[in-house]
């Protein structure tokens, strides 16, 4: 089977805020030390909705990369790149489009939702309909096994799995596949070969999932196999096809959803966001002026944290002792709101301090970011080209 690999992207459509950090970046940072990770700026995806105003995309792309680095994405662990710099994504998108039923795209829930939500834009375009298919290409081109995303993206991942399955089914038929697979079986050595065939029967005839798992484990251990033979044997286990593309899994963000300054979801368009590298003075000012329990008019009125957006932030940023202090102080009018906000201010400022520090070197010398991305694009491109070689061959476009 193909090795574990993580791929995820973000659209560069504006400044990143702390909601992005808690909702996605923290997860990426956790994953980067555990598996090979590729993180990219989805600039083509940004164009699907911002095609009439692309200026924001270029600026946001560089800002976003600095934000990622500032937040702790480590270019010596993860590969960072820009989608459009790996044009193979577009080729795969085109090739996948040939066999993708329109209905699959029209049925993706984000499609109609976004058209309704962004009613000020004309999204009845070819590019926007293809959004999830381009996303499928982004992931499938790296044979990624895991895609960290928010739950709104799960239907997109499900669709990519279907696309991969259909592709393997349609194009995974190799001339003489069975013969080649049997030759590969022999290379396992007689004892393993026998076990392999037993497990295959166990899975195919008796539907034993553990037999499939055991066979996968054995193949992964079989050092003597070439990559291509291993792929054949993986494919042969489940049927008589080669697995050209891998079905990825959604890796749901174990995120704390960070609410904005007004208690609604943090979003630039609501004007309730704190940006990732916001000035300290501005953080202090924003939190000091944020609304509190509307029923607590005077300092002497008791309040109710449940109807206060500040409490939402305490839930993310404060330890239990502080939260107890808030609940008690608020409901007895023992503390004032300015006092209550201070621990939140301190926690945000503390969270952002290392980000400001890490960002500084990149702001002083932007060529560092350019170099990191140039490197990442090269690494990504090599991987993408490997997959495209197999894809072209499978679709009869090798012309050798
Ligand atoms: N659609 C994703 C979002 O809006 C961004 C994205 C584009 C993406 N390509 C991707 C995410 C590939 C994961 C994998 O958040
Ligand atoms: Fe909100 Fe704290 Fe004021 Fe209570 S004391 S209303 S929780 S800011």
């Amino acid at each position: 089977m193909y090795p574990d690999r993580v791929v995820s992207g973000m659209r560069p459509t504006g400044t990143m805020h702390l909601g992005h950090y808690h909702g996605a970046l923290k997860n990426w940072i956790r994953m980067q030390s555990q598996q090979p990770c590729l993180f990219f700026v989805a600039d083509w995806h940004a164009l699907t909705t911002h095609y009439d105003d692309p200026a924001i995309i270029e600026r946001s792309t560089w800002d976003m990369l600095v934000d990622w680095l500032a937040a702790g994405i480590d270019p010596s662990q993860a590969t960072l790149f820009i989608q459009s710099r790996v044009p193979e994504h577009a080729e795969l998108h085109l090739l996948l489009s040939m066999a993708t039923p329109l209905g699959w795209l029209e049925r993706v829930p984000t499609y109609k939702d976004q058209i309704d939500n962004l009613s000020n834009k004309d999204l009845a375009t070819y590019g926007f309909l293809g959004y999830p298919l381009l996303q499928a290409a982004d992931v499938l081109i790296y044979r990624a096994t895991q895609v960290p995303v928010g739950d709104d993206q799960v239907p997109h991942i499900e669709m990519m799995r279907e696309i991969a399955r259909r592709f393997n089914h349609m194009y995974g038929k190799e001339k003489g596949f069975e013969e080649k697979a049997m030759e590969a079986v022999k290379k396992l050595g007689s004892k393993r070969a026998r076990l392999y065939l037993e497990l295959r029967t166990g899975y195919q005839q008796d539907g034993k999932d553990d037999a499939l798992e055991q066979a996968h484990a054995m193949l992964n251990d079989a050092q003597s196999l070439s990559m291509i033979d291993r792929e054949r044997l993986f494919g042969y286990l489940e049927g008589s096809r080669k697995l050209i593309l891998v079905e990825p899994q959604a890796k749901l963000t174990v995120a704390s959803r960070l609410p904005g300054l007004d208690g609604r979801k943090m979003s630039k368009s609501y004007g309730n966001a704190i940006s990732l590298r916001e000035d300290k003075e501005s953080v202090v000012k924003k939190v000091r002026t944020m609304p509190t329990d509307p029923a607590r008019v005077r300092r002497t009125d008791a309040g109710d944290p449940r109807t206060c957006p500040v409490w939402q932030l305490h839930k993310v940023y404060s330890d239990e002792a502080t939260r107890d202090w808030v609940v008690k102080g608020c409901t007895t009018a023992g503390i004032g709101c300015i006092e209550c906000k201070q621990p939140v201010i301190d926690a945000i400022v503390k969270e952002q301090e290392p980000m400001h520090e890490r960002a500084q070197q990149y702001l002083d010398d932007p060529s560092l970011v350019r170099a990191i991305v140039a490197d990442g694009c090269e690494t990504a491109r090599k991987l993408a080209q490997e997959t495209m070689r197999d894809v072209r061959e499978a679709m009869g476009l090798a012309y050798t």
Side-chain angles (χ1 to χ4, degrees):
M1 205 154 42
Y2 294 100
D4 254 341
R5 192 177 281 154
V6 174
V7 169
S8 198
M10 271 187 217
R11 292 154 28 93
T13 52
T15 313
M16 292 197 69
H17 52 62
L18 288 177
H20 296 119
Y21 175 66
H22 286 268
L25 275 180
K26 262 172 46 180
N27 239 5
W28 290 13
I29 292 163
R30 204 168 30 77
M31 292 178 105
Q32 67 182 350
S33 60
Q34 297 165 354
Q35 294 116 318
C37 290
L38 294 126
F39 299 127
F40 67 96
V41 180
D43 55 346
W44 281 335
H45 277 104
L47 272 177
T48 64
T49 50
H50 291 61
Y51 58 86
D52 56 348
D53 178 25
I56 187 170
I57 296 175
E58 185 175 15
R59 189 165 33 83
S60 307
T61 292
W62 294 115
D63 286 350
M64 183 180 238
L65 285 158
V66 173
D67 283 335
W68 290 0
L69 294 163
I73 298 286
D74 174 0
S76 72
Q77 303 191 66
T79 302
L80 304 185
F81 68 99
I82 298 172
Q83 182 187 35
S84 65
R85 292 275 182 89
V86 185
E88 284 78 7
H89 289 220
E91 190 190 26
L92 184 57
H93 175 218
L94 174 83
L95 293 179
L96 294 176
S97 78
M98 302 301 170
T100 301
L102 274 180
W104 288 15
L105 296 170
E106 287 159 349
R107 269 199 301 275
V108 171
T110 45
Y111 181 60
K112 289 225 163 57
D113 287 0
Q114 290 274 62
I115 288 186
D116 295 345
N117 288 347
L118 304 176
S119 52
N120 55 333
K121 293 200 176 168
D122 181 4
L123 293 182
T125 58
Y126 180 53
F128 188 66
L129 179 66
Y131 185 111
L133 191 62
L134 178 58
Q135 189 170 350
D138 294 339
V139 173
L140 299 179
I141 203 160
Y142 300 106
R143 294 173 162 140
T145 49
Q146 292 182 52
V147 190
V149 282
D151 47 10
D152 61 315
Q153 296 285 307
V154 169
H156 292 184
I157 310 294
E158 256 150 34
M159 200 195 78
M160 6 179 134
R161 294 170 60 83
E162 281 178 44
I163 302 250
R165 215 173 303 143
R166 188 177 162 90
F167 188 96
N168 290 332
H169 186 75
M170 221 181 272
Y171 305 113
K173 251 182 294 177
E174 192 183 19
K175 254 223 277 314
F177 178 79
E178 303 248 343
E179 290 74 19
K180 285 183 189 157
M182 283 314 292
E183 267 164 43
V185 171
K186 281 191 204 130
K187 291 184 197 156
L188 286 170
S190 60
K191 221 170 104 193
R192 277 188 167 150
R194 199 164 346 106
L195 178 60
Y196 174 86
L197 293 173
E198 266 168 38
L199 293 169
R200 178 172 185 264
T201 312
Y203 176 68
Q204 292 201 355
Q205 287 183 8
D206 312 325
K208 288 189 195 151
D209 285 334
D210 52 331
L212 184 64
E213 251 170 60
Q214 206 186 329
H216 281 183
M218 180 184 76
L219 291 177
N220 279 329
D221 280 352
Q223 302 293 340
S224 59
L225 286 180
S226 67
M227 185 80 157
I228 187 88
D229 274 339
R230 182 167 303 152
E231 277 329 300
R232 283 199 184 99
L233 291 182
F234 272 110
Y236 191 54
L237 272 177
E238 294 180 55
S240 54
R241 318 260 166 187
K242 209 161 70 163
L243 297 182
I244 301 160
L245 298 178
V246 171
E247 289 181 44
Q249 302 272 359
K251 177 91 184 165
L252 278 187
T253 309
V254 279
S256 35
R257 188 177 286 256
L258 187 74
L261 295 164
D262 56 2
R264 290 188 291 172
K265 177 176 185 256
M266 187 177 280
S267 160
K268 190 188 45 155
S269 52
Y270 292 157
N272 64 359
I274 298 175
S275 62
L276 202 88
R277 290 178 280 126
E278 183 120 13
D279 279 345
K280 185 174 166 184
E281 291 69 42
S282 170
V283 172
V284 172
K285 191 161 151 233
K286 280 186 174 176
V287 178
R288 288 237 168 102
T289 54
M290 73 184 272
T292 58
D293 173 7
R296 191 175 190 203
V297 183
R298 282 172 297 264
R299 166 70 177 77
T300 49
D301 296 338
D304 182 352
R306 284 171 301 183
T307 52
C308 176
V310 180
W311 172 243
Q312 300 293 323
L313 293 181
H314 274 296
K315 286 207 279 196
V316 174
Y317 283 106
S318 297
D319 59 17
E320 209 180 319
T322 310
R323 292 199 307 263
D324 287 348
W325 169 79
V326 171
V327 172
K328 186 147 176 284
C330 179
T331 53
T332 59
I335 57 172
C337 291
I338 290 289
E339 218 180 328
C340 177
K341 288 169 171 178
Q342 195 57 43
V344 169
I345 293 174
D346 294 342
I348 295 176
V349 168
K350 183 155 166 253
E351 173 172 77
Q352 289 179 319
E353 235 161 52
M355 301 195 199
H356 284 297
E357 264 167 40
R358 274 192 293 258
Q360 199 54 51
Q361 54 174 320
Y362 300 112
L363 299 175
D364 292 343
D365 183 2
S367 74
L368 288 176
V369 186
R370 303 297 198 268
I372 288 168
V373 169
D375 249 26
C377 291
E378 202 182 314
T379 305
R381 210 162 172 206
K382 280 206 189 101
L383 296 170
Q385 282 170 344
E386 274 173 35
T387 308
M388 284 316 294
R389 243 196 319 271
D390 293 350
V391 166
R392 284 190 212 111
E393 190 190 279
M395 293 185 76
L397 302 166
Y399 302 111
T400 47

